[in-house]
Amino acid sequence: MIVRIMGEGQVDLTDADLDLLNSFDSALETAIEKGDEAAFRKALHDLLDKVREHGTPLAADALEPSQFILPHADAGMDEVRQMLQDDGLIPG
């Protein structure tokens, strides 16, 4: 599964990675619902760190369609809120 991190590029993740990432996605959603900026910032960085850690980077010139897009590390809470779908940033 190809995932884009805005401003960084794309990585390839397995379905098993998605199960792990959904727990971080849930923490991010909870922080946004509560309006907790510190928890939001930590959850966003934790999520992106896990994606970078478990994903295999694609070549910079690769143009593969992304199954979903994650915000950049400095994204604000309002920006990320607009990107949320019914099941968070990560489907499943």
Side-chain angles (χ1 to χ4, degrees):
M1 175 174 295
I2 307 298
V3 177
R4 175 172 296 283
I5 299 175
M6 295 173 67
E8 293 186 29
Q10 294 177 299
V11 297
D12 190 9
L13 295 167
T14 67
D15 288 342
D17 295 328
L18 291 182
D19 291 339
L20 170 69
L21 295 174
N22 271 319
S23 64
F24 292 93
D25 191 31
S26 294
L28 182 65
E29 281 186 278
T30 299
I32 290 173
E33 288 170 7
K34 292 181 177 179
D36 184 336
E37 179 66 30
F40 162 75
R41 188 66 42 210
K42 181 181 182 327
L44 179 57
H45 283 258
D46 287 349
L47 173 63
L48 295 176
D49 287 347
K50 287 296 177 191
V51 169
R52 293 180 195 112
E53 180 182 330
H54 290 269
T56 302
L58 272 61
D61 60 349
L63 294 174
E64 299 292 329
S66 300
Q67 274 73 25
F68 58 91
I69 299 172
L70 296 174
H72 57 88
D74 295 329
M77 194 179 302
D78 286 339
E79 184 179 355
V80 175
R81 182 180 290 119
Q82 292 176 3
M83 295 177 69
L84 291 175
Q85 301 174 20
D86 291 340
D87 50 1
L89 290 173
I90 299 173

